[in-house]
Amino acid sequence: MHSLRPVLAAFPLLLAPWFSPPAHATDPPAPVPGVSPEWNARLRYEHVDDDAFGPDANATTLRLRLGLRFRFGAGWSALVEGEGIASAGDDYNSGANGRIAYPVIADPEGAQLNQAWLGWKSAKLHVTLGRQRLQLDNQRWIGNSGWRQNEQTFDSLAFDATLGPGLARYAWLGQVNRVNGDQAIDPLARKRELDTHLFELAWKHGIQQIVGYGYLHDDKDVATASTASYGVRAVTDAVRDGRGWGLALELAEQHEYASNPLSFSHRYWLLEPSLTHAGVTWRAGWEHLGGNGQHSLQTPLATLHVFNGWADKFNSTPTGGLEDRYLSAGGKFGDGKYDWVLAWHDYEADTGGGYGSEWNASFGFPVYGPVKGLLKLADYRADGFAQDTTKAWVQMEWVH
């Protein structure tokens, strides 16, 4: 595969005549060539009280991200972006500071290249090559883990092609750059060499959207992490003028792939109806990640913090699998300036007994101008898995 990189890099040039429609008077004007800066800053305090550890963890971190976006004309663009993370104090295990007596808060200090990609876009095709952020669908399988100060990015080649009412997507991943950063003590926590192929075909009509996918994940560093996952996701969104209903359904199957010496087959499913009324969206969900007691379904490239509770007890699915049944409510008020979420999770094994339960709550509010504040809480009560854990966050973020 590596020998094909020069050919793959030339694909935008080869495909341009096929996907560039003739200019019409109604076409939007082409972007003016130039360069523009981009930046954001995020200041966060995180507290973790985990009964599996003696001391509590406390981390105050500042993340600054700076980038330059280039527009060259004729559909070409590029982004170069770096980030730096500083910490006030060392009373937490960052994964890089060796403070293993404390609970983990995976926001290590350091500076690194976050994104560096070259892209080409026409009315029907978008191609990007380089280190980039990838977020597919609801990020259950592929995401950037944007909650952590250092996000997850991919060294990849990605294609999005519009086909009438549908969208075809393909991406090849050569490396994942993980949230633990380049200075993590465990080299496998820094990055992983991959030969992963992602395929999606999406169709949308009115309030209905259906996505079929196949994710062929080949982890060159850990053979037992290589999996093939095939599934379909259907979403109905009938919310109009702040009221209506929605429904998300997903079904997938995962088995061994590439040089994985194991043999397994696990099911995934999601059922999530929702109702929006009077500014509040109510959700009920049932998410299933299969497990047989020796092995379980895994989604290592996902945005994991969003799923199965903010206490992050299930970032790696236990060998017995996971049944997550949850209820949540959330909404916005004050012309959208304020937002809130309250959620409850009940966790059980697919094979075996119970795990525990968890409450989550968050409140977002304006601070000043482009600065937004966030208060957030997670409280996990163990019942046969891990230990009681409470996490709390206070955050301010400035996006320019």
Side-chain angles (χ1 to χ4, degrees):
M1 184 66 190
H2 298 281
S3 62
L4 295 179
R5 289 180 180 175
V7 176
L8 294 173
F11 264 27
L13 295 173
L14 299 174
L15 294 172
W18 299 94
F19 285 92
S20 296
H24 298 283
T26 57
D27 286 349
V32 177
V35 58
S36 57
E38 299 179 356
W39 65 275
N40 68 74
R42 181 197 280 169
L43 177 65
R44 176 191 290 160
Y45 167 74
E46 181 170 347
H47 171 81
V48 180
D49 178 1
D50 187 333
D51 284 358
F53 296 84
D56 294 349
N58 294 279
T60 300
T61 56
L62 174 65
R63 195 273 315 282
L64 179 61
R65 190 173 289 163
L66 301 171
L68 290 175
R69 189 176 297 269
F70 301 86
R71 299 176 300 276
F72 304 113
W76 290 92
S77 62
L79 175 67
V80 179
E81 181 183 74
E83 66 182 13
I85 302 168
S87 173
D90 211 22
D91 294 334
Y92 69 103
N93 179 8
S94 71
N97 59 6
R99 307 277 280 178
I100 60 175
Y102 291 87
V104 172
I105 298 177
D107 290 329
E109 290 187 290
Q112 60 191 48
L113 180 69
N114 193 52
Q115 295 191 82
W117 53 258
L118 176 67
W120 178 82
K121 187 175 184 179
S122 73
K124 295 185 178 181
L125 180 67
H126 187 198
V127 184
T128 52
L129 174 66
R131 181 163 298 182
Q132 58 190 292
R133 178 185 299 124
L134 290 179
Q135 300 168 303
L136 302 191
D137 306 313
N138 66 340
Q139 302 186 54
R140 195 14 161 158
W141 299 90
I142 308 295
N144 70 320
S145 295
W147 173 246
R148 299 273 39 117
Q149 297 285 48
N150 173 39
E151 70 176 331
Q152 177 170 271
T153 59
F154 302 89
D155 296 349
S156 66
L157 173 67
F159 293 83
D160 287 352
T162 301
L163 306 172
L167 176 70
R169 172 174 287 156
Y170 167 76
W172 172 76
L173 313 182
Q175 180 171 279
V176 56
N177 309 290
R178 308 183 72 187
V179 299
N180 308 83
D182 293 339
Q183 305 303 317
I185 294 174
D186 180 0
L188 292 177
R190 303 171 193 166
K191 57 190 64 178
R192 301 278 265 274
E193 295 297 325
L194 312 176
D195 188 5
T196 295
H197 302 269
L198 311 176
F199 300 90
E200 283 196 357
L201 187 60
W203 174 83
K204 186 174 183 179
H205 180 71
I207 64 173
Q208 309 286 341
Q209 182 175 6
I210 299 176
V211 179
Y213 56 83
Y215 304 139
L216 308 180
H217 175 52
D218 185 358
D219 190 319
K220 295 298 185 181
D221 290 322
V222 182
T224 54
S226 298
T227 59
S229 306
Y230 303 94
V232 60
R233 175 179 171 83
V235 177
T236 300
D237 182 2
V239 178
R240 297 294 180 270
D241 299 321
R243 59 187 303 172
W245 61 279
L247 179 64
L249 298 170
E250 189 168 350
L251 179 64
E253 184 167 336
Q254 183 179 88
H255 56 79
E256 74 281 357
Y257 176 68
S259 57
N260 192 330
L262 305 178
S263 178
F264 55 87
S265 180
H266 301 303
R267 292 286 178 86
Y268 171 88
W269 66 69
L270 172 71
L271 171 63
E272 187 186 81
S274 63
L275 177 66
T276 300
H277 181 72
V280 178
T281 297
W282 303 85
R283 299 182 190 276
W286 177 22
E287 187 179 36
H288 168 95
L289 294 86
N292 57 21
Q294 297 180 331
H295 191 273
S296 60
L297 183 141
Q298 302 291 336
T299 62
L301 304 182
T303 293
L304 296 166
H305 181 74
V306 180
F307 301 92
N308 311 134
W310 298 337
D312 293 329
K313 290 301 179 182
F314 301 98
N315 283 354
S316 178
T317 311
T319 57
L322 176 64
E323 297 270 354
D324 180 6
R325 296 175 176 88
Y326 55 91
L327 298 170
S328 72
K332 296 183 178 183
F333 61 96
D335 295 327
K337 295 180 181 179
Y338 300 87
D339 59 83
W340 63 276
V341 173
L342 180 65
W344 176 80
H345 296 260
D346 179 64
Y347 306 117
E348 292 186 359
D350 177 30
T351 302
Y355 289 146
S357 61
E358 182 173 339
W359 283 98
N360 294 157
S362 72
F363 177 64
F365 55 94
V367 176
Y368 177 79
V371 181
K372 186 173 182 178
L374 178 69
L375 303 175
K376 190 170 173 178
L377 178 69
D379 185 59
Y380 173 77
R381 299 294 95 181
D383 184 15
F385 181 80
Q387 299 290 327
D388 291 352
T389 300
T390 300
K391 295 187 178 184
W393 299 268
V394 180
Q395 175 179 293
M396 289 193 297
E397 186 164 12
W398 187 327
V399 180
H400 175 72

